[in-house]
Amino acid sequence: HEVSDTYWHFVRDGTVSWFHGIRFLERPTKDDMSESLAKICSNGGKMNMGFHPASYRVPVGKCSYRKRWDSCWARECYTMLLKEWGCAREGTCEIKFRRTLHQLRNPLRTVESLVVKFCEGGLDGSVSPSFLAYASALFPQHDFSSDSCIEAAAYFVLEYSNAMDAAQKNGEIYASYKVEESTPCDVAELAGIGEANSTVYESNIEKVASKCSEILGSATDLLEHTEGKVNLGQVQLGWKDLRGGMHGSNRKKGNTDLE
């Protein structure tokens, strides 16, 4: 999860990651890029956003794995992001994947999870500095600082989803699937794990065929965990919660731009 460094981690068949989506994001202007890199890399050790340059590769600068973050990891962060940001469109990504899938989820469930994790003080609370830094760095075209916390989470999901949709239309993402409506075999088929021309490890062909032919096997059941563990029983939102004037929103009361 969030890892593609095959030297230290067993990720032969691929990875599940939100941050690897940065390869499909439009590169900011030169000035915005400098600011975005600073937001992510300058205080990387204090953030808990699922990203660390060690997840991508063995550090070029021979940074110490005993230190979570220092000036060496910050430099590694800068150089890695400069290579990875928007690389899919130009075909220059350092790490290659045979196929990339976009996992879709009910957007309200994703917003709920983000609210639980990054809204300090509950539904009407303030946005976590870590989330605000990442959101504004990845999508500088939107002013997250003026949003309520729920709005910031919702606009982040919207911007990210739009970017992935555009990448799929451009042929950079192979396909998408709805996690609530898919089985492991559905995902394996889309990923090409059981096909000779697309699998990374040929032994998977027989394994996938065997698992997906079992009538009572779990591989043909719908994927579990449709409700995020982070938000288990804590926050439940409806579309009306995203309207202007709700939960600290400064938008016009009743505004439905996010519905």
Side-chain angles (χ1 to χ4, degrees), residues 23-250:
R23 61 178 49 202
F24 305 112
L25 300 187
E26 184 176 346
R27 287 180 72 90
T29 63
K30 184 176 181 180
D31 289 341
D32 282 342
M33 176 64 90
S34 297
E35 187 174 344
S36 292
L37 292 176
K39 287 178 179 179
I40 296 175
C41 299
S42 295
N43 297 300
K46 299 179 181 179
M47 301 186 187
N48 182 25
M49 295 295 295
F51 163 70
H52 192 284
S55 299
Y56 274 72
R57 64 185 185 190
V58 175
V60 175
K62 299 182 179 180
C63 306
S64 173
Y65 285 95
R66 295 182 179 181
K67 296 181 179 179
R68 174 169 172 74
W69 201 266
D70 58 12
S71 59
C72 182
W73 283 118
R75 289 192 298 272
E76 189 73 17
C77 177
Y78 273 90
T79 57
M80 195 282 294
L81 290 184
L82 281 172
K83 283 187 174 182
E84 189 74 4
W85 206 312
C87 64
R89 185 157 300 181
E90 299 180 5
T92 58
C93 297
E94 183 175 357
I95 300 165
K96 310 292 184 182
F97 295 100
R98 293 278 178 86
R99 288 183 184 177
T100 299
L101 305 181
H102 180 203
Q103 177 179 286
L104 302 174
R105 182 188 183 199
N106 185 320
L108 277 178
R109 304 292 83 80
T110 303
V111 172
E112 288 170 351
S113 296
L114 293 175
V115 166
V116 168
K117 191 171 184 179
F118 298 114
C119 288
E120 299 180 346
L123 290 176
D124 299 327
S126 59
V127 187
S128 157
S130 296
F131 182 81
L132 186 59
Y134 266 67
S136 58
L138 296 174
F139 305 108
Q141 66 271 22
H142 182 81
D143 181 13
F144 289 91
S145 63
S146 65
D147 292 334
S148 67
C149 195
I150 289 180
E151 287 173 334
Y155 275 115
F156 178 84
V157 172
L158 179 62
E159 293 285 356
Y160 189 91
S161 299
N162 286 343
M164 297 307 110
D165 287 344
Q168 185 171 345
K169 290 177 181 177
N170 290 334
E172 298 152 16
I173 290 177
Y174 180 76
S176 60
Y177 65 93
K178 296 180 180 179
V179 66
E180 297 94 342
E181 301 175 6
S182 302
T183 69
C185 288
D186 292 333
V187 179
E189 182 179 0
L190 284 175
I193 294 177
E195 301 174 18
N197 64 340
S198 54
T199 192
V200 176
Y201 184 56
E202 289 189 5
S203 295
N204 281 331
I205 298 175
E206 183 178 345
K207 291 179 180 179
V208 169
S210 175
K211 287 291 184 182
C212 293
S213 64
E214 296 176 2
I215 299 176
L216 299 178
S218 60
T220 55
D221 293 337
L222 292 178
L223 292 165
E224 297 180 355
H225 307 300
T226 55
E227 183 177 6
K229 291 183 178 180
V230 171
N231 179 43
L232 191 59
Q234 297 188 60
V235 172
Q236 186 171 2
L237 299 175
W239 290 110
K240 290 183 179 180
D241 288 298
L242 304 183
R243 289 184 179 179
M246 297 292 289
H247 305 295
S249 169
N250 292 317

